[in-house]
Amino acid sequence: MHSVDRIGRYRLERRLGTGAFGTVWLAHDDDLDAPVAVKVLAENWAHRLDVRERFLSEARLLRKAGSPRVVQVHDIGELPDGRPYFVMEYADAGTLADLLAAGPLPVAEALRLTALAARSAHALHEAGIVHRDVKPSNVLLRTAPDGTRRVLLADLGLAKSLAQASGLTLAAGSEGYRPPEQAEPGVGIDARADVYSLGAVGYELVTGAVPAAPGKAVPPERLRPDVDPGAARALMRALEPDRERRWPTAEALAEELESCAAAESAARRPRGRRVRDVGRRRGRWGRGAGRPRGRRGRAVALGAAVAAVAAAGVGLGMALWPGTPKTSAASGVRVADATGRVAVRVPDGWGRQLRDSGWDPATLGLPAGHEPGLAVAEDLTHWQDLGARVDGVFVGLSEHGDVTARVTAVEHSGCHYDGDRAYGAGSWHGLVRAWSGCPGGGLLTEAALVPAGAAGQPQVYVQVRRQGGDDPTDRVLRSLEVTRTR
Ligand code: ATP
Ligand code: MG
């Protein structure tokens, strides 16, 4: 891999993420003195002419859309080694996937964001483009000069113009957000394919779970009892396997969700717990979002972060295991994250729901990124809420930063701090901190683990929430399996 620190006049600052085709960098445009995002096609794809063409057509289609609701492309070019790249506006507030790292959103906010994403999709449709890969990581958030946030649709890597899409198409899109017609070669795709994906995004923002296969999604109110039936129906209509029964346009879906959101906000305003929830969320939109700032900021951000971090799966791949967990001679259930790099064994009854898609260490005040992690509990819906009775475990890997220092700084307001102790077994050592008498009567232990050798990284953050009984923390920690990348 060539290391590059500059692409043309753009100075690379840090990697924002890596997707199926390439890597996106935060860079600085020295001439305009402005941040930009640069997407570079991965080396292993650069020699494939069809992929190169698809990559560049993404940039051209984004440009063609020319809408403030769609990410703007400023420039296009080629590295000396032949890899193509394009330069786009930088979404400073992350993506919906980053937001989901802290679990489901307050309902009104979830509906409003989905409505904005639907309006973005509608702008594309008006330009004759079907996106075909609407999913949380492709919905970007950008702070406007007046402090409000804009929602931008990005990543048309698989998009085709409506004209092209009427013929033979390949299965495209992303699992969980893909409408059934997109998985069938030869079926023409139209704007209603994006309506389905938008429904899936809204469903995930509300419930924290990606909907099951088309036609099999559990009604959202079963996962999030406080969602209004009208909003639940609107999402389920978007998710209709038969596109004739879906909302006919993304605009119609946006309008319905906007009115549901307005009704939801009006109905909720006076209630205590929700207001606190919304307050936390609002805090995350500020500058330095997601990082505790100052003592008070830390208590809020991390009080929720037990929570926040614990529920930190990016929401993909919530698996339900009704009654048939993978038990074995060793007691408990072994669960692993989606990358397979982290696995842990939890008490039998706890292994019913799994969120396996990783976390953003920024929730703990560490450098932002997307790292392997999982949350497992009998019921993950209430994992965020220290007032709820929950038994479960969160494990998050961190390749950078000092997890021990961050864990030591955590305060869980409403819980009683019982002190810390050293932990050491097998290939891990570290610190365990204990809390009791949390608002729901529960107990909480948190561990910061460092590999016993000289490596120092990756470090691991573990949370165990329980209602009482034996403390399984040490058993859970001893069962930890982590695969190093190199
Ligand atoms: P896939 O390849 O399946 O679409 P992806 O959307 O995560 O997955 P990319 O589109 O390559 O992959 O983007 C990688 C990450 O970079 C995104 O998840 C997002 O966090 C970040 N990103 C992409 N574009 C921007 C942008 N314009 N501004 C800020 N961050 C961005
Ligand atoms: Mg993307």
Side-chain angles (χ1 to χ4, degrees):
M1 176 70 78
H2 307 277
S3 81
V4 179
D5 56 11
R6 182 174 275 282
I7 293 179
R9 69 179 208 237
Y10 311 102
R11 187 163 34 81
L12 303 191
E13 288 186 349
R14 69 181 164 87
R15 193 171 62 87
L16 291 166
T18 298
F21 289 107
T23 297
V24 179
W25 296 88
L26 169 62
H28 196 78
D29 180 339
D30 283 341
D31 289 359
L32 286 176
D33 189 23
V36 290
V38 183
K39 186 164 182 173
V40 185
L41 183 64
E43 228 163 353
N44 54 324
W45 289 114
H47 65 282
R48 285 271 304 266
L49 288 182
D50 54 342
V51 175
R52 281 179 79 94
E53 193 38 53
R54 177 179 277 190
F55 182 83
L56 291 174
S57 73
E58 166 176 358
R60 292 189 193 104
L61 282 170
L62 286 168
R63 182 92 199 178
K64 178 178 163 197
S67 161
R69 295 183 183 276
V70 174
V71 79
Q72 300 290 300
V73 173
H74 305 307
D75 197 2
I76 195 167
E78 207 174 86
L79 291 181
D81 66 12
R83 280 178 290 165
Y85 67 85
F86 65 86
V87 181
M88 58 185 146
E89 68 182 306
Y90 169 54
D92 62 321
T95 69
L96 291 189
D98 298 328
L99 276 193
L100 274 163
L105 275 67
V107 174
E109 188 182 358
L111 300 176
R112 240 175 244 120
L113 287 168
T114 311
L116 285 168
R119 292 213 174 266
S120 297
H122 186 65
L124 282 177
H125 300 158
E126 299 259 273
I129 299 163
V130 183
H131 188 289
R132 304 208 313 168
D133 198 14
V134 176
K135 59 177 175 177
S137 69
N138 288 340
V139 183
L140 309 181
L141 303 160
R142 176 161 185 178
T143 315
D146 65 359
T148 58
R149 61 185 194 256
R150 282 166 57 209
V151 167
L152 305 169
L153 208 43
D155 214 6
L156 311 180
L158 298 159
K160 296 268 165 80
S161 77
L162 279 174
Q164 291 169 313
S166 55
L168 245 190
T169 57
L170 294 170
S174 299
E175 194 66 38
Y177 309 94
R178 184 191 294 130
E181 69 268 22
Q182 215 164 287
E184 290 169 37
V187 177
I189 300 299
D190 63 27
R192 291 170 296 178
D194 288 346
V195 169
Y196 182 96
S197 308
L198 288 160
V201 168
Y203 183 102
E204 186 178 2
L205 292 176
V206 168
T207 65
V210 179
K216 302 220 165 63
V218 176
E221 62 273 25
R222 295 245 308 266
L223 299 171
R224 181 84 185 253
D226 59 333
V227 67
D228 173 73
R233 269 197 307 276
L235 294 173
M236 290 306 274
R237 180 169 170 195
L239 287 168
E240 278 286 348
D242 175 359
R243 62 184 171 185
E244 295 296 334
R245 302 181 63 176
R246 283 177 214 151
W247 296 97
T249 62
E251 188 179 40
L253 171 64
E255 278 165 8
E256 180 67 14
L257 294 178
E258 278 156 9
S259 76
C260 291
E264 176 73 27
S265 299
R268 297 228 167 241
R269 207 156 284 135
R271 301 233 196 115
R273 180 173 298 284
R274 280 292 130 205
V275 170
R276 186 170 170 261
D277 230 19
V278 171
R280 173 173 69 82
R281 287 286 175 181
R282 195 178 291 131
R284 301 175 68 225
W285 288 107
R287 288 170 66 78
R291 283 161 215 233
R293 291 160 68 226
R295 233 185 129 65
R296 192 158 176 278
R298 174 172 302 141
V300 176
L302 292 176
V306 185
V309 169
V314 178
L316 304 171
M318 181 190 220
L320 300 177
W321 303 328
T324 52
K326 291 178 226 154
T327 46
S328 76
S331 72
V333 188
R334 182 180 179 278
V335 290
D337 82 307
T339 67
R341 286 191 59 204
V342 182
V344 77
R345 194 167 278 283
V346 302
D348 282 333
W350 298 13
R352 300 186 78 84
Q353 293 188 351
L354 171 68
R355 212 174 270 134
D356 63 0
S357 52
W359 73 306
D360 182 352
T363 13
L364 193 63
L366 293 161
H370 182 188
E371 303 273 8
L374 60 88
V376 59
E378 187 175 6
D379 176 6
L380 280 176
T381 326
H382 301 293
W383 181 262
Q384 303 231 22
D385 183 359
L386 280 174
R389 300 174 62 80
V390 172
D391 288 332
V393 174
F394 167 82
V395 185
L397 213 68
S398 173
E399 297 282 0
H400 311 281
D402 183 348
V403 172
T404 312
R406 303 311 314 173
V407 167
T408 310
V410 173
E411 294 165 28
H412 295 295
S413 52
C415 304
H416 177 262
Y417 178 53
D418 295 331
D420 63 18
R421 63 183 165 87
Y423 171 85
S427 47
W428 297 98
H429 65 87
L431 182 76
V432 177
R433 303 179 88 220
W435 307 75
S436 60
C438 294
L443 298 109
L444 172 68
T445 44
E446 284 185 306
L449 301 180
V450 178
Q457 304 287 352
Q459 301 185 2
V460 183
Y461 177 43
V462 181
Q463 289 181 320
V464 178
R465 280 191 68 179
R466 70 185 209 280
Q467 289 310 300
D470 278 355
D471 181 0
T473 302
D474 282 27
R475 283 200 305 277
V476 169
L477 298 182
R478 279 197 302 273
S479 74
L480 180 68
E481 301 162 40
V482 171
T483 312
R484 309 231 165 106
T485 39
R486 310 167 214 194

